[in-house]
Amino acid sequence: MNNFIPYIQAKTKLSIVEKIGQLFMPAAFINDSEEEILAIEKLIKEHHVGSLCFFHSRASAATNFEGKKKIVYNEDSFATLKKLIQRYQSAAKYPLLISIDAEWGLAMRIENTPQYPYAITLGAIPNKTDLIYKVGQQIAQDCKAAGIHWNLAPVVDINNNPNNPVIGYRSFGEEKHNVTQKALAFIKGSAHEGVITCLKHFPGHGDTAVDSHLGLPLISKTKGDLVANELFPFQQLIHEGVPTIMAGHLSIPALADGDTIPSSLSKKMLKNLLREEMNFKGVVISDALNMHAVSKNYPVKGELEWLAFDAGNDVLCFAENIEEGIQTILKNASHSQVEESFERLWKLKEMAFKACDKPSKLSEASIVNKEIARASLTLFKGTTGSFNTQDIIGLEISQSKRPSIFIKTLADKQTFPLVSTFENSVEVMRQQTKNEKNILLALFPPKAKPANLFDIPKEQLDLINELFETKNVILYLFGNPYVLNHLQIDKAKAIVIAYQNFKEFQETAAQFVLKEVEASGKIPVSIT
């Protein structure tokens, strides 16, 4: 922003209504129609919203992310994003703070942009925080190249519930020190590039079996347990000076004197606990206010926005009733309430715009991804030297229409037969392995989320467990390690976890088969 100096000077000129408008962060969508774009421009011009949060499309955002609406892919999403940001900035009287969820890179929202490993993969790397720093730095470069100032990451939820439907692979793991260490490295890497980060989802979404997009999770732990574990990363990173924290939609009675109100709407959690007890001085942003954990309970337009602000949120993310929200806050809030939140937000904007004059271009992910693949590769069980590779058959189970890089790499260097679901039914694979003793099995789960058994067809899971029971099987897992909870792994000869299906991870796994690299990773979650 070349108009940074006059922007700072404009601070004293904002009216009280404009200051309240600055606290709103509506959603913007890369694949919007012209009519929808004009509607957002109108919001910016008429209500002086202070920030935008970008999503891919209305079909993929927030409460519909598990829905049935068709997601249309756009090969030119990145160019479209840049143009939209410039267009929306041009419509703003005061420059907008632009945010996005880029936990594993812009690829979380935007096609054909660099993609980095999930947090659970980074959590498997012992000690090498320099790689996580590099990931944070390169994701920040990509954000800057697009015109984004604020990455709503990292997730510092401690995932200690294997059935968590929404965090899981987005967490660095279940051990608080590992989560804190990895998050801090990511934050420092991003800060090097001047991009703001955000801890989420306070006070901790890890030990839930309910997705707050769809309902309100209840956590019944004691305050002592929560302080010792879930709150630990937040407290440690507050000491490190983190600039922003996202308030999750969670019901935690122990932190609210027995109240079951969502944490994002609780003064006891945001003002008493986070501000006073934990001494957080930065910006608090709500999780998306259209999420069903809160939105379905407040049908009166403007009421939810007021309650979220009154509870202690400085920025109201994905607010859908902006005009009514501004008026309700104007009617109910004290002058000091508005000024305090506005001052925190304005200071954050100053921090963001100071850094955005530095030029940036999209990063190159492959080199660091290759390093991460080697550092995270985990020999979870057994030894892979249990039998000679000349006496085995290779099986690939995936939903792909072509053989994997892992299988192709091995096929180029080995003589053992290879059988894949891309050209064979489960029954054919069963027959082809009938007289075989030793199996090298590559599993590529279709999804990282646990819903519907990670979308692995039951007949394929049954085949895998049958092979474990009757054969000597070495399993290579290219996906979420929680998949192992659905397999009879006690019968497996050996298990190797590669975590991702990226080219670099498949090639590294093949090199491990060929004894060209070692496996030094450590699984960051427990498998039961």
Side-chain angles (χ1 to χ4, degrees), residues 213-232:
H213 291 90
L214 308 174
L216 181 62
L218 172 65
I219 298 175
S220 57
K221 292 182 175 179
T222 67
K223 183 173 181 179
D225 288 340
L226 292 162
V227 168
N229 199 54
E230 276 79 359
L231 291 173
F232 181 87

Side-chain angles (χ1 to χ4, degrees), residues 202-203 223 226-227 231 235 238 252 254-256 263 266-280:
F202 182 84
K223 183 173 181 179
L226 292 162
V227 168
L231 291 173
Q235 185 65 81
I238 287 170
I252 312 179
L255 298 181
S263 47
S266 170
K267 295 180 184 180
K268 291 174 182 176
M269 283 198 236
L270 300 186
K271 292 185 175 180
N272 296 356
L273 176 62
L274 182 58
R275 290 285 185 207
E276 296 175 10
E277 291 185 40
M278 300 178 72
N279 199 32
F280 179 60

Side-chain angles (χ1 to χ4, degrees), residues 294-314:
V294 292
S295 63
K296 64 183 180 181
N297 297 320
Y298 300 96
V300 177
K301 291 184 177 182
E303 182 184 12
L304 175 58
E305 288 78 8
W306 156 245
L307 291 173
F309 172 73
D310 192 42
N313 292 285
D314 302 307

Side-chain angles (χ1 to χ4, degrees), residues 353-407:
F353 295 136
K354 279 179 182 176
C356 66
D357 281 336
K358 300 176 184 176
S360 184
K361 61 181 180 179
L362 287 178
S363 64
E364 172 53 59
S366 183
I367 295 174
V368 70
N369 281 349
K370 186 173 182 178
E371 292 182 65
I372 292 168
R374 291 195 174 191
S376 62
L377 187 69
T378 301
L379 179 57
F380 177 69
K381 179 183 178 183
T383 64
T384 56
S386 301
F387 45 80
N388 193 298
T389 54
Q390 301 302 314
D391 300 324
I392 66 173
I393 181 172
L395 261 65
E396 176 187 47
I397 294 181
S398 75
Q399 310 307 308
S400 175
K401 302 296 184 183
R402 60 181 65 89
S404 65
I405 294 167
F406 176 70
I407 288 294

Side-chain angles (χ1 to χ4, degrees), residues 166-241:
V166 67
I167 304 301
Y169 65 102
R170 298 166 61 195
S171 165
F172 293 108
E174 66 182 19
E175 201 283 314
K176 63 184 181 182
H177 294 96
N178 186 40
V179 170
T180 305
Q181 179 191 54
K182 300 295 167 57
L184 180 59
F186 184 99
I187 291 164
K188 286 184 174 180
S190 184
H192 182 272
E193 297 298 316
V195 171
I196 298 163
T197 48
C198 179
L199 306 185
K200 59 187 188 186
H201 307 80
F202 182 84
H205 205 316
D207 194 7
T208 69
V210 173
D211 180 355
S212 55
H213 291 90
L214 308 174
L216 181 62
L218 172 65
I219 298 175
S220 57
K221 292 182 175 179
T222 67
K223 183 173 181 179
D225 288 340
L226 292 162
V227 168
N229 199 54
E230 276 79 359
L231 291 173
F232 181 87
F234 291 99
Q235 185 65 81
Q236 295 303 309
L237 295 169
I238 287 170
H239 292 327
E240 295 286 344

Side-chain angles (χ1 to χ4, degrees), residues 318-353:
F318 216 134
E320 294 186 306
N321 304 301
I322 291 173
E323 182 175 1
E324 297 87 351
I326 290 173
Q327 291 304 314
T328 308
I329 291 172
L330 181 63
K331 176 182 176 182
N332 294 314
S334 67
H335 178 78
S336 61
Q337 270 185 293
V338 173
E339 286 296 330
E340 286 173 12
S341 286
F342 173 73
E343 286 290 337
R344 283 191 285 263
L345 174 64
W346 201 268
K347 182 179 179 181
L348 191 71
K349 283 191 162 189
E350 291 178 2
M351 181 194 308
F353 295 136

